[in-house]
């Protein structure tokens, strides 16, 4: 099989008891679960296109943007990484139409277990995609709020008690923190909230558990990049988060290479 296109974050959804992945190469979708255990090769075609405007760029900023779009596109606005800075609820944004569909909609605040327990936020439309992208194996919603700003404020408050980052190496090694009781941690988080934020708490959400398609996990993950290697290949041992897990403990972060033009070949 052969396919070529610009890489985009893998599409992922839960089917039956396992996460199903599709590699996006421009408009083509490649079922990756069926390739686990097989030899694959990804060859960089020495071309990067901005994921926002499509123009050629010699360097990718913030996972896929040319420098101009990094400075001006609503998808790259500061509140993407720091939601507490969102001002859309005050009528201020790079693009209010974009803000109305991405910032001024319900958001969830959640706890997830990847390398350890962490707090995070996401749009209500991104469950469970957000958790899959982070490689979480358990997650639970603790609050539903009306906009991105309030979600960010709640996250900042809870960061004093919970981590907000994932250790990608521990996540990829699949070292599961099985002793964490997410129901108990949710109640702890809700009790910690100040009164003005407790009104958004949700006590009855189920605890999600996610299973990834993998035959083996790396013991000492070694990160690969097309910035150093034009061709990356080997046996696909599994997929977790947005990473392809190759033989010999090598891993490739697909999301990091948004916009890179590559050719995929398989046996």
């Amino acid at each position: 099989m052969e396919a070529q296109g610009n890489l985009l974050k893998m599409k992922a959804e839960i089917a039956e008891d396992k996460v199903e992945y599709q590699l996006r190469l421009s408009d083509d979708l490649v079922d990756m679960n069926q390739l686990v255990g097989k030899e694959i090769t990804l060859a960089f075609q020495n071309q990067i296109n901005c994921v926002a405007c499509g123009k050629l760029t010699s360097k990718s900023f913030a996972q896929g943007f040319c420098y101009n779009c990094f400075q001006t596109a609503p998808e790259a606005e500061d509140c993407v990484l720091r939601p507490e800075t969102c001002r859309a609820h005050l009528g201020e944004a790079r693009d209010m139409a974009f803000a109305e569909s991405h910032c001024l909609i319900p958001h969830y605040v959640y706890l997830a277990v990847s390398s350890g327990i962490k707090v995070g936020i996401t749009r209500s439309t991104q469950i469970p995609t957000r958790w899959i992208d982070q490689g979480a194996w358990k997650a639970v919603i603790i609050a539903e709020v009306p906009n991105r700003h309030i979600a960010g404020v709640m996250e900042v408050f809870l960061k004093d008690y919970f981590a907000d980052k994932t250790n990608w190496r521990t996540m990829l090694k699949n070292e599961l923190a099985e002793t964490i009781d997410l129901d108990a941690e949710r109640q702890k988080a809700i009790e910690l909230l100040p009164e003005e934020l407790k009104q958004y708490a949700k006590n009855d959400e189920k605890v999600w558990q996610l299973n990834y398609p993998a035959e083996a996990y790396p013991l000492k993950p070694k990160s690969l990049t097309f910035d150093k290697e034009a061709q990356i290949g080997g046996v696909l041992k599994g997929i977790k988060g947005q990473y392809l897990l190759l033989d010999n403990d090598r891993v490739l972060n697909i999301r990091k290479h948004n916009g890179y033009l590559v050719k995929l070949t398989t046996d």
Side-chain angles (χ1 to χ4, degrees):
M1 185 190 75
E2 186 174 290
Q4 179 172 305
N6 292 92
L7 283 175
L8 292 170
K9 181 175 78 75
M10 284 186 286
K11 184 178 179 181
E13 59 184 12
I14 297 176
E16 297 181 356
D17 64 340
K18 192 164 290 184
V19 177
E20 293 277 353
Y21 283 96
Q22 291 178 305
L23 185 68
R24 296 195 288 177
L25 294 167
S26 298
D27 294 328
D28 291 335
L29 293 173
V30 179
D31 182 355
M32 295 302 290
N33 285 51
Q34 68 175 351
L35 299 181
V36 173
K38 298 181 179 180
E39 187 92 18
I40 68 168
T41 300
L42 287 163
F44 178 43
Q45 303 301 296
N46 198 34
Q47 177 178 319
I48 305 173
N49 294 89
C50 174
V51 296
C53 71
K55 291 181 179 178
L56 289 174
T57 177
S58 59
K59 183 178 179 181
S60 174
F61 296 86
Q63 298 180 336
F65 297 98
C66 66
Y67 184 73
N68 182 62
C69 287
F70 173 61
Q71 294 291 318
T72 61
E75 299 92 337
E77 196 156 3
D78 187 49
C79 72
V80 171
L81 293 179
R82 296 195 300 142
E84 71 276 10
T85 67
C86 184
R87 297 179 63 81
H89 60 294
L90 301 176
E92 300 175 21
R94 287 182 179 178
D95 183 329
M96 279 307 300
F98 180 89
E100 286 172 1
S101 61
H102 287 75
C103 300
L104 301 180
I105 63 171
H107 279 61
Y108 289 132
V109 182
Y110 63 84
L111 294 177
V113 184
S114 300
S115 55
I117 191 167
K118 71 177 289 292
V119 62
I121 77 159
T122 191
R123 299 190 303 276
S124 57
T125 55
Q126 293 299 298
I127 297 295
T129 303
R130 177 65 171 164
W131 301 329
I132 294 172
D133 288 348
Q134 294 178 339
W137 74 281
K138 273 189 177 183
V140 67
I141 293 167
I142 61 175
E144 180 179 351
V145 303
N147 60 53
R148 189 167 185 82
H149 172 70
I150 297 175
V153 169
M154 187 179 293
E155 181 186 37
V156 167
F157 179 86
L158 290 174
K159 282 196 301 188
D160 286 340
Y161 307 95
F162 300 93
D164 68 326
K165 297 289 189 299
T166 296
N167 183 313
W168 65 272
R169 286 187 175 86
T170 302
M171 180 271 289
L172 291 180
K173 288 190 287 186
N174 205 42
E175 295 179 352
L176 305 181
E178 296 180 335
T179 59
I180 294 175
D181 183 339
L182 269 191
D183 268 326
E185 295 295 333
R186 169 175 49 191
Q187 291 306 315
K188 171 185 171 182
I190 291 173
E191 289 169 8
L192 288 168
L193 291 173
E195 289 303 317
E196 62 267 27
L197 293 177
K198 277 184 180 175
Q199 61 179 306
Y200 303 114
K202 296 180 77 68
N203 292 285
D204 56 354
E205 291 291 322
K206 72 174 184 178
V207 174
W208 292 67
Q209 185 160 332
L210 306 169
N211 300 304
Y212 295 89
E215 294 180 344
Y217 292 94
L219 298 176
K220 296 181 178 180
K222 305 180 188 78
S223 183
L224 304 172
T225 174
F226 291 119
D227 298 329
K228 295 182 179 179
E229 300 178 54
Q231 183 166 297
I232 294 171
V235 177
L236 180 64
K237 307 300 287 185
I239 313 169
K240 191 175 185 186
Q242 282 290 319
Y243 286 83
L244 300 183
L245 313 180
L246 301 171
D247 53 8
N248 299 317
D249 283 355
R250 298 169 304 137
V251 301
L252 177 65
N253 184 344
I254 294 297
R255 191 169 194 173
K256 178 183 177 181
H257 296 92
N258 277 344
Y260 284 59
L261 181 68
V262 302
K263 179 186 289 185
L264 168 69
T265 56
T266 73
D267 59 359

